[in-house]
Amino acid sequence: HNIKFIYLRRLQTQLDACSGPDGNPFQAWNAGTGTETPIRPYKQGKQVSFEYSEYDSERKAYVSTGKTAAYGIALSTMATIRGTDFSGYDAILFDEFIAMDNERPIKNEFQVFLNFFETVNRNREIQGKLPVKCFRLGNANRLSNPYLIGWKMMGPALRMIRGEQMISYSKNVTLVMLLRSPISDKKRHKIRR
């Protein structure tokens, strides 16, 4: 929808892995659209700018068009930074927001996320603008995580699992749990063989 967004990862090491061509989280999108201007990562200090690019035949390489699709940030890094202006970004895509068991914790992670969200959202509603939308994506490798606990969503999540309900709506949160995903079913059948 041509909306600039923040691509958020929990840890700096995860963001660093996305900052090169091999770890580019937009590879599948680029291949699927067959676009002449693929989205490619450009490292900027600890952050990554994901920009539309075009092939420069003289340089024999892709170069940025100067148009940003997303800005990559690590939550662990933003824990110590306040006051940054993200007014040009209307959404946050928080990829793999649930930590795996072997990942290091972020101290007070839920509060760090809320502070980051407030930094991005600022006073948009007071100014008559729509609030920033945040999409948290992750595998449910741990149902007990800082976000479900912080938003008191553990009870609803457990009820959803027991009742095989895939979508739950509340005032400001929509919880989607793909309990019967066609892709998961295909993977399950392949593993059993």
Side-chain angles (χ1 to χ4, degrees), residues 9 42 44 87 123 125:
R9 294 300 299 259
Y42 295 89
Q44 296 181 346
S87 58
N123 299 317
E125 291 98 330

mmCIF file with all atom_site columns, all heavy atoms in Angstrom, residues 9 42 44 87 123 125:
data_model
loop_
_atom_site.group_PDB
_atom_site.id
_atom_site.type_symbol
_atom_site.label_atom_id
_atom_site.label_alt_id
_atom_site.label_comp_id
_atom_site.label_asym_id
_atom_site.label_entity_id
_atom_site.label_seq_id
_atom_site.pdbx_PDB_ins_code
_atom_site.Cartn_x
_atom_site.Cartn_y
_atom_site.Cartn_z
_atom_site.occupancy
_atom_site.B_iso_or_equiv
_atom_site.pdbx_formal_charge
_atom_site.auth_seq_id
_atom_site.auth_comp_id
_atom_site.auth_asym_id
_atom_site.auth_atom_id
_atom_site.pdbx_PDB_model_num
ATOM 1  N N   . ARG A 1 9   ? 13.128 -5.678  14.833 1.00 0.00 ? 9   ARG A N   1
ATOM 2  C CA  . ARG A 1 9   ? 13.561 -6.984  15.333 1.00 0.00 ? 9   ARG A CA  1
ATOM 3  C C   . ARG A 1 9   ? 13.927 -6.821  16.800 1.00 0.00 ? 9   ARG A C   1
ATOM 4  O O   . ARG A 1 9   ? 14.221 -5.720  17.256 1.00 0.00 ? 9   ARG A O   1
ATOM 5  C CB  . ARG A 1 9   ? 14.777 -7.490  14.548 1.00 0.00 ? 9   ARG A CB  1
ATOM 6  C CG  . ARG A 1 9   ? 14.511 -7.803  13.083 1.00 0.00 ? 9   ARG A CG  1
ATOM 7  C CD  . ARG A 1 9   ? 13.454 -8.874  12.861 1.00 0.00 ? 9   ARG A CD  1
ATOM 8  N NE  . ARG A 1 9   ? 13.769 -10.159 13.434 1.00 0.00 ? 9   ARG A NE  1
ATOM 9  C CZ  . ARG A 1 9   ? 14.240 -11.194 12.747 1.00 0.00 ? 9   ARG A CZ  1
ATOM 10 N NH1 . ARG A 1 9   ? 14.445 -11.093 11.456 1.00 0.00 ? 9   ARG A NH1 1
ATOM 11 N NH2 . ARG A 1 9   ? 14.487 -12.334 13.354 1.00 0.00 ? 9   ARG A NH2 1
ATOM 12 N N   . TYR A 1 42  ? 20.284 -1.300  2.957  1.00 0.00 ? 42  TYR A N   1
ATOM 13 C CA  . TYR A 1 42  ? 21.454 -0.422  2.964  1.00 0.00 ? 42  TYR A CA  1
ATOM 14 C C   . TYR A 1 42  ? 21.752 -0.108  4.427  1.00 0.00 ? 42  TYR A C   1
ATOM 15 O O   . TYR A 1 42  ? 20.964 0.544   5.106  1.00 0.00 ? 42  TYR A O   1
ATOM 16 C CB  . TYR A 1 42  ? 21.192 0.867   2.167  1.00 0.00 ? 42  TYR A CB  1
ATOM 17 C CG  . TYR A 1 42  ? 20.973 0.601   0.696  1.00 0.00 ? 42  TYR A CG  1
ATOM 18 C CD1 . TYR A 1 42  ? 19.699 0.330   0.207  1.00 0.00 ? 42  TYR A CD1 1
ATOM 19 C CD2 . TYR A 1 42  ? 22.046 0.580   -0.189 1.00 0.00 ? 42  TYR A CD2 1
ATOM 20 C CE1 . TYR A 1 42  ? 19.499 0.058   -1.139 1.00 0.00 ? 42  TYR A CE1 1
ATOM 21 C CE2 . TYR A 1 42  ? 21.846 0.316   -1.539 1.00 0.00 ? 42  TYR A CE2 1
ATOM 22 C CZ  . TYR A 1 42  ? 20.566 0.051   -2.006 1.00 0.00 ? 42  TYR A CZ  1
ATOM 23 O OH  . TYR A 1 42  ? 20.371 -0.224  -3.337 1.00 0.00 ? 42  TYR A OH  1
ATOM 24 N N   . GLN A 1 44  ? 23.042 1.517   7.741  1.00 0.00 ? 44  GLN A N   1
ATOM 25 C CA  . GLN A 1 44  ? 23.287 2.890   8.179  1.00 0.00 ? 44  GLN A CA  1
ATOM 26 C C   . GLN A 1 44  ? 23.607 2.863   9.665  1.00 0.00 ? 44  GLN A C   1
ATOM 27 O O   . GLN A 1 44  ? 22.712 2.967   10.500 1.00 0.00 ? 44  GLN A O   1
ATOM 28 C CB  . GLN A 1 44  ? 22.063 3.768   7.924  1.00 0.00 ? 44  GLN A CB  1
ATOM 29 C CG  . GLN A 1 44  ? 21.719 3.922   6.473  1.00 0.00 ? 44  GLN A CG  1
ATOM 30 C CD  . GLN A 1 44  ? 20.514 4.828   6.261  1.00 0.00 ? 44  GLN A CD  1
ATOM 31 O OE1 . GLN A 1 44  ? 19.779 5.141   7.185  1.00 0.00 ? 44  GLN A OE1 1
ATOM 32 N NE2 . GLN A 1 44  ? 20.334 5.251   5.040  1.00 0.00 ? 44  GLN A NE2 1
ATOM 33 N N   . SER A 1 87  ? 8.012  10.408  12.456 1.00 0.00 ? 87  SER A N   1
ATOM 34 C CA  . SER A 1 87  ? 6.708  10.874  11.999 1.00 0.00 ? 87  SER A CA  1
ATOM 35 C C   . SER A 1 87  ? 6.385  10.448  10.571 1.00 0.00 ? 87  SER A C   1
ATOM 36 O O   . SER A 1 87  ? 5.215  10.422  10.196 1.00 0.00 ? 87  SER A O   1
ATOM 37 C CB  . SER A 1 87  ? 6.607  12.393  12.134 1.00 0.00 ? 87  SER A CB  1
ATOM 38 O OG  . SER A 1 87  ? 7.632  13.029  11.391 1.00 0.00 ? 87  SER A OG  1
ATOM 39 N N   . ASN A 1 123 ? 2.233  12.229  19.325 1.00 0.00 ? 123 ASN A N   1
ATOM 40 C CA  . ASN A 1 123 ? 0.906  12.763  19.646 1.00 0.00 ? 123 ASN A CA  1
ATOM 41 C C   . ASN A 1 123 ? 0.009  12.757  18.414 1.00 0.00 ? 123 ASN A C   1
ATOM 42 O O   . ASN A 1 123 ? -0.741 13.701  18.185 1.00 0.00 ? 123 ASN A O   1
ATOM 43 C CB  . ASN A 1 123 ? 1.044  14.181  20.203 1.00 0.00 ? 123 ASN A CB  1
ATOM 44 C CG  . ASN A 1 123 ? 1.869  14.204  21.462 1.00 0.00 ? 123 ASN A CG  1
ATOM 45 O OD1 . ASN A 1 123 ? 1.706  13.350  22.313 1.00 0.00 ? 123 ASN A OD1 1
ATOM 46 N ND2 . ASN A 1 123 ? 2.771  15.162  21.569 1.00 0.00 ? 123 ASN A ND2 1
ATOM 47 N N   . GLU A 1 125 ? -2.752 11.198  17.527 1.00 0.00 ? 125 GLU A N   1
ATOM 48 C CA  . GLU A 1 125 ? -4.201 11.323  17.724 1.00 0.00 ? 125 GLU A CA  1
ATOM 49 C C   . GLU A 1 125 ? -4.593 12.738  18.142 1.00 0.00 ? 125 GLU A C   1
ATOM 50 O O   . GLU A 1 125 ? -5.622 13.253  17.715 1.00 0.00 ? 125 GLU A O   1
ATOM 51 C CB  . GLU A 1 125 ? -4.707 10.327  18.778 1.00 0.00 ? 125 GLU A CB  1
ATOM 52 C CG  . GLU A 1 125 ? -4.637 8.883   18.329 1.00 0.00 ? 125 GLU A CG  1
ATOM 53 C CD  . GLU A 1 125 ? -3.391 8.159   18.836 1.00 0.00 ? 125 GLU A CD  1
ATOM 54 O OE1 . GLU A 1 125 ? -2.342 8.798   19.029 1.00 0.00 ? 125 GLU A OE1 1
ATOM 55 O OE2 . GLU A 1 125 ? -3.473 6.944   19.033 1.00 0.00 ? 125 GLU A OE2 1
#
